[in-house]
Each structure stands twice: as structure tokens, then as C-alpha cells.
């Protein structure tokens, strides 16, 4: 089976914006514009939720659809894979804020407002 890394797929998706290919679904989404892309991201997100309730196979399938449409959205908005890596990199080793949430549940954060 053909394998493709996330980076390779993102490059291809990004490239379709600069060089639209005949019969390309990705190019069709760019041509339709932001509202169409957002509609697809919304639909695919809902399908991920439904898929998660049904089976691992369905969740996997729908997640692949969502990730693809998210890549189209990011590329459409001019966000590169390096922008994403930089943002994610800032979170490496970041302390979890779970304790704050626990405080919130016990009312501690409410009291500091
Ligand atoms: N990974 C994907 C990918 N995942 C999902 N999809 C498409 O996303 C669509 C989702 O299905 P839907 O039924 O929700 O949508 P639809 O009815 O086809 O379309 P709408 O009219 O609703 O917009 C399907 O048409 C899928 O083919 C993808 N289309 C392309 N890719 C990859 O993107 C790259 C570029 O592809 P092209 O743009 O086709 O050249 C290639 O490497 C492809 O493998």
C-alpha cells in the first residue's frame, strides 16, 4: 500500500493551491473558497464524533477525512507546516494546567475572580 507522511500530504495540498491540477478535489475546494472549506471541516468534525461512537475503523476513516480538510483550511489561510510545528514546539515540555481545572471544579478559581 502507498504510504504518505503528513508532511508529504500537506506539501501536496499546499501545492494544489499554487498549481491547481485538472480534476483535483483539493483545487475544487480552493476554488469554492473559505466558506465551503469551513463547511467541510464542520461536517467532517461531526463525522469524527459519530465515528468514535461506532467503531475504530469508522473513527480512523473519518479522522483521515478531517485531517485532510484541516490541511486544506490551513493551506488556504497561508499557514505552512513550519508555522504549525513552531506553535506545537512552544508547547513541548509545557506544564499541564490540569491542576487549575481541578481547582476550578472545587471552586478555587471561581473565588479568585
Ligand atoms: N487525502 C485526501 C482526501 N481525503 C478525503 N478526500 C476527499 O474528500 C471528500 C470527502 O467526501 P464527501 O462525501 O464529504 O465530499 P464530496 O461529496 O465528495 O464533496 P462535496 O461536494 O461535499 O464537497 C471526498 O471527495 C474524498 O475523495 C481527499 N481528497 C484528496 N486527498 C489527498 O489529497 C491529495 C491531492 O488530491 P487531489 O486534490 O484529488 O489531486 C492526494 O494525495 C489525495 O490522496
Amino acid at each position: 500500500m502507498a504510504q504518505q507522511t503528513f508532511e508529504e500530504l500537506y506539501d501536496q495540498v499546499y501545492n494544489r493551491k499554487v498549481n491547481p491540477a485538472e480534476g483535483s478535489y483539493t483545487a475544487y475546494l480552493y476554488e469554492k473558497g473559505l466558506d465551503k472549506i469551513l463547511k467541510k471541516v464542520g461536517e467532517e468534525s461531526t463525522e469524527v464524533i459519530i465515528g468514535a461512537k461506532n467503531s475504530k475503523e469508522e473513527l480512523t476513516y473519518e479522522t483521515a477525512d478531517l485531517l485532510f480538510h484541516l490541511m486544506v483550511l490551513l493551506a488556504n489561510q497561508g499557514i505552512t507546516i513550519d508555522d504549525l510545528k513552531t506553535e506545537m514546539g512552544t508547547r513541548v515540555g509545557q506544564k499541564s494546567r490540569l491542576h487549575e481545572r481541578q481547582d476550578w471544579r472545587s471552586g478555587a478559581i471561581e473565588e479568585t475572580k
Side-chain angles (χ1 to χ4, degrees), residues 45-61:
S45 301
T46 306
E47 286 169 16
V48 164
I49 293 166
I50 296 166
K53 300 290 280 186
N54 290 341
S55 67
K56 273 188 178 180
E57 290 72 20
E58 205 176 312
L59 175 59
T60 306
Y61 183 92

Side-chain angles (χ1 to χ4, degrees), residues 4 8-10 12-13 16 21-30 32 36 39-40 43-44 47 61-69 71-72:
Q4 197 175 33
E8 284 166 350
L9 177 57
Y10 193 79
Q12 203 180 359
V13 164
R16 287 281 188 270
E22 181 88 17
S24 160
Y25 175 71
T26 316
Y28 154 82
L29 288 176
Y30 293 133
K32 286 279 174 185
K36 171 70 179 179
K39 186 165 174 272
K40 295 304 295 180
E43 282 173 18
E44 302 303 344
E47 286 169 16
Y61 183 92
E62 299 301 349
T63 299
D65 265 357
L66 176 59
L67 287 173
F68 164 74
H69 285 91
M71 287 182 189
V72 176

